[in-house]
Structure formats: structure tokens, C-alpha cells
Amino acid sequence: MAAVDSFYLLYREIARSCNCYMEALALVGAWYTARKSITVVCDFYSLVRLHFIPRLVSRADLIKQYGRWAVVSGATDGIGRAYAEELASRGLNIVLISRNQEKLQMVAKDIADTYKVETDIIVADFSSGREIYDPIREALKDKDIGILVNNVAVFYPYPQYFTQVSEDKLWDIINVNIAAASLMVHIVLPGMVERKKGAVVTISSGSCCKPTPQLAAFSASKAYLDHFSRALQYEYASKGIFVQSLIPFYVATNMTTPGSFLHKCPWLVPSPKVYAHHAVSTLGISKRTTGYWSHSIQVLLRDFTLTLFVSLELEPFERVAPRRSIQFLFAQYMPEWLWVWGANILNRSLRKEALSCKA
Ligand SMILES: NC(=O)c1ccc[n+]([C@@H]2O[C@H](COP(=O)([O-])OP(=O)(O)OC[C@H]3O[C@@H](n4cnc5c(N)ncnc54)[C@H](OP(=O)(O)O)[C@@H]3O)[C@@H](O)[C@H]2O)c1
């Protein structure tokens, strides 16, 4: 065996024989970095194009584009109410659906007085099952519904392990989060197809893109909505219908426990009014979006950071464009273990906070 008497000589010999491999590796690295950099630049461009440019140019005429009436489920509070108000501010008449008649009347009057549009209300509890849909169909039959907003949903009182969630709550999640959107689309879509125009907006949630522990049934129900919307878009785009899967992160509503630390960062957790204003401006532009620029930046930053640390080669994500949309990059980029780890930490602290508020 040859003795090695100089480390430097050995290193030089190895370096010389590996030179071509090093160069090949350097080329692969340069190609990867260039590709990722271009992707990040394109994403920022897409973000500006989706969230800022539509707000600078004149607002789209939603009545001409889709029709005179909009239906919003879960319209008396939070995102649903804000979305209804935003549509009304653009001249659309609104049908509001929720459980509480007095609240519905109050919100309907408020919207009609403020925006000088017609409003109508339907009292329905989506957790009741199938019998509510015939009266809804009947109430909507003489209206040309241009936009359907599937907003209603129920959430856990706070993040919980599956066996701690009551049977009633699980049944509500299925009836309200899954069945309501499916059957509402079934009611209004035939009219839209006949008129060859219309938009269906279904509000999913950031928890839909990966299995989310401590929100198992909720996140699964939102994944259903996301897949449902995307499949509908493929089925009905050619018939003049625009289907959007709206995927918000946290928004400061009753669902996110008022007083929680989440309500203290408006930049990351916008008010429903701010959120709806941005989300409506993406209507007709992106078929799958978070709906809010800072939610998209959160996604982009996560993606950028991960690009630096995680050398995963995955499929390129979709971009914001009339044909393809950008959001939920992390669905493709974030490793599941990282998502689950983050979700566990966040949900544990939210549960702790909710329980200490209760005590
Ligand atoms: N807030 C967030 O951080 C967040 C994040 C991601 C996704 N989202 C999604 O955004 C949507 C709206 O959430 P939100 O936070 O705005 O909710 P919210 O403030 O709790 O409002 C829920 C609305 O739905 C109605 N509603 C509740 N249960 C109903 C039922 N069984 N039948 C009929 N109406 C019912 C409520 O009115 P009544 O009580 O008067 O019936 C209310 O108008 C949901 O799909 C949610 O999953 C929210």
C-alpha cells in the first residue's frame, strides 16, 4: 500500500481527478439557483399582478360579467358579511343566508340602505340536513344568480384531538362545510350555465393543503371544498362559469377567537372588511388564491426560505394568470413534516389560550 506523506499532494491528486465532477456539480447548482431565483421573481410579479394591479385599474363590472344577484351563505358575520357588503358596493343585489332571522334582517337593511341595492334573506340552518334545500331552491328560482359565495362553515371551538371533538360537531362539519357548498352549487349552477355566465366562490382555508393535526375533520372538509372547486372549474369554465377556490389564512373574525394573539397583527390577520375588499378584486382573475396579498407573501416567504434550505426538486407551482393561479405554493414545496410540526405548535398554543380564556 502506498504511504501518503503529504496531505497537500493527496488533496491535489483527488481534486485533479474530481475536477470534471466538481464542475458538473457547480453547473447543476447554478442551474438550480437560477431556476429558483427566476421562480421567486415570477411569483412576486404574479403577486403584484393579482393583488395590486386590479386595484389600480378601474374595477371590473361584476354585474355585466356575472349577473345582477349574488347569494352569500353565512352572511351575517365575518367574511361572509364583509364579502356581501363588498359585492353590494359594486352594485349587486344580495341574497343573505344564515340561521338567525333578526340578524339577517338587520344586516340586509344595513346593506340595502348603505349601498342602495336590493337585498333578500333566507333563514336556513345548514346543519339541519337535506330538508332546507327545497325552500332555498324555491326562494332563488326567480332570481338570476350571477355569483354564489359558499362561505358558511363551522369550526372547532379550539384545536382539538379527533376523539375530543363531539359527535354533533363532526356531523355539523360534514353538513355545513361539505354538503352546503355542494348542494348550493347544485341549485344555482344550472341557471348560470343556461345564461352562460356566473361565478362560484368557495371559501376553503389554509388548513386544506396538508393534513392538519388537531383540526383533522375541519382541514379535511376544506380540502374537499378546494378539490371540488378546482374540479368544477375544469368542468364548467368552457360554459362561461368562473369557479374560484378562495383559501384564506387567518382573518380576524369570531372564528379566530376574538382577543386571541391572532387579532393583534392586522398585517398578517386582516379584518374581514379588508380581506373581502382584496378577495373580491381577485374574482375573475385567479381561480385559486389566498385572496389577500400578505397571505400570499407569507406563502412566498415560506417558499423562499425553504428554497434556501431545502433542496427538494418538485413540480413547478401554478402562477397567477387567468388560466393558472399561484397560491398554495407551500402545498408543493413545504415538506409535510414541517407543516405538521408548525401546525401542532400553533394549534397547541391556540387551544391553551382558548382554555385559559374559558377558565
Ligand atoms: N376567520 C378565519 O381566520 C378563516 C380562515 C380561513 C378560512 N375561513 C373560512 O371563512 C369562512 C367564514 O368564516 P368566518 O370566520 O367569517 O366565520 P364567522 O365569523 O363565524 O361567521 C359565520 C357565519 O356563518 C353563519 N352560520 C354559522 N353556522 C351556520 C349554520 N349552521 N347555518 C347557517 N349559517 C350559519 C353565521 O351566522 P348565524 O350564526 O347568524 O347563523 C355567520 O354569519 C368559513 O368558511 C371559514 O372556514 C376563515
Side-chain angles (χ1 to χ4, degrees):
M1 191 188 285
V4 177
D5 53 6
S6 158
F7 178 75
Y8 175 69
L9 277 180
L10 177 67
Y11 171 77
R12 232 179 45 182
E13 272 312 299
I14 291 174
R16 192 180 305 147
S17 54
C18 290
N19 226 357
C20 57
Y21 298 113
M22 296 293 229
E23 277 167 13
L25 273 177
L27 270 178
V28 171
W31 170 80
Y32 180 81
T33 310
R35 211 185 122 182
K36 291 294 174 189
S37 307
I38 291 168
T39 304
V40 169
V41 170
C42 289
D43 287 342
F44 271 103
Y45 165 69
S46 302
L47 184 125
V48 171
R49 210 177 130 201
L50 177 67
H51 294 289
F52 297 103
I53 293 178
R55 301 178 59 225
L56 297 178
V57 297
S58 62
R59 301 201 298 185
D61 183 346
L62 297 181
I63 299 180
K64 198 165 142 206
Q65 225 170 323
Y66 303 118
R68 182 149 288 283
W69 282 89
V71 186
V72 183
S73 67
T76 47
D77 248 321
I79 297 173
R81 177 177 178 162
Y83 206 105
E85 288 184 9
E86 186 61 31
L87 292 177
S89 77
R90 290 164 176 244
L92 276 96
N93 298 330
I94 312 287
V95 181
L96 305 111
I97 313 181
S98 276
R99 290 170 295 191
N100 184 314
Q101 180 153 13
E102 275 165 40
K103 241 162 99 181
L104 275 167
Q105 282 166 339
M106 198 252 303
V107 176
K109 184 173 177 327
D110 205 26
I111 291 178
D113 291 349
T114 312
Y115 303 103
K116 311 293 173 228
V117 294
E118 285 180 49
T119 52
D120 204 349
I121 60 166
I122 300 175
V123 182
D125 183 345
F126 287 104
S127 63
S128 308
R130 276 188 76 174
E131 69 270 16
I132 60 161
Y133 294 99
D134 279 341
I136 294 179
R137 184 178 281 107
E138 194 55 29
L140 297 179
K141 80 171 189 296
D142 296 325
K143 293 189 169 66
D144 288 351
I145 305 300
I147 301 178
L148 167 67
V149 185
N150 287 313
N151 165 73
V152 72
V154 288
F155 189 57
Y156 295 1
Y158 45 83
Q160 285 174 311
Y161 287 95
F162 187 71
T163 51
Q164 291 163 354
V165 183
S166 69
E167 234 177 77
D168 285 346
K169 184 59 82 183
L170 289 175
W171 202 240
D172 284 355
I173 285 174
I174 292 163
N175 273 323
V176 181
N177 298 15
I178 296 177
S182 316
L183 288 165
M184 286 303 297
V185 171
H186 208 254
I187 290 171
V188 302
L189 196 53
M192 291 180 176
V193 171
E194 213 173 279
R195 290 186 293 280
K196 297 191 178 61
K197 61 179 183 180
V200 176
V201 179
T202 298
I203 304 192
S204 177
S205 153
S207 65
C208 82
C209 70
K210 297 259 187 222
T212 306
Q214 301 177 54
L215 294 177
F218 177 80
S219 78
S221 73
K222 292 297 184 176
Y224 169 88
L225 294 178
D226 182 41
H227 274 245
F228 174 59
S229 300
R230 291 160 68 192
L232 273 184
Q233 168 70 17
Y234 287 119
E235 284 184 27
Y236 287 94
S238 62
K239 298 180 172 62
I241 314 300
F242 182 80
V243 186
Q244 185 183 55
S245 178
L246 199 53
I247 306 170
F249 282 62
Y250 284 108
V251 177
T253 68
N254 293 333
M255 209 171 260
T256 46
T257 322
S260 141
F261 65 87
L262 291 172
H263 284 235
K264 294 184 184 115
C265 22
W267 189 80
L268 295 174
V269 184
S271 69
K273 191 178 164 63
V274 168
Y275 177 77
H277 183 63
H278 284 78
V280 171
S281 71
T282 68
L283 190 54
I285 301 175
S286 175
K287 57 189 188 193
R288 194 165 179 245
T289 170
T290 62
Y292 184 59
W293 64 273
S294 101
H295 290 179
S296 295
I297 287 178
Q298 288 169 52
V299 170
L300 276 173
L301 288 179
R302 244 178 274 190
D303 174 50
F304 184 66
T305 320
L306 280 164
T307 303
L308 291 177
F309 293 107
V310 184
S311 304
L312 277 177
E313 194 52 86
L314 296 163
E315 284 300 299
F317 47 77
E318 300 172 294
R319 290 194 200 307
V320 178
R323 283 178 297 120
R324 294 192 291 161
S325 72
I326 181 181
Q327 317 304 339
F328 268 30
L329 315 177
F330 64 103
Q332 285 96 337
Y333 283 87
M334 184 178 275
E336 194 161 304
W337 64 264
L338 189 56
W339 170 272
V340 169
W341 177 74
N344 262 326
I345 291 181
L346 178 66
N347 287 334
R348 213 169 287 139
S349 64
L350 286 172
R351 183 173 60 244
K352 226 166 137 185
E353 193 182 48
L355 288 173
S356 66
C357 286
K358 254 175 127 186

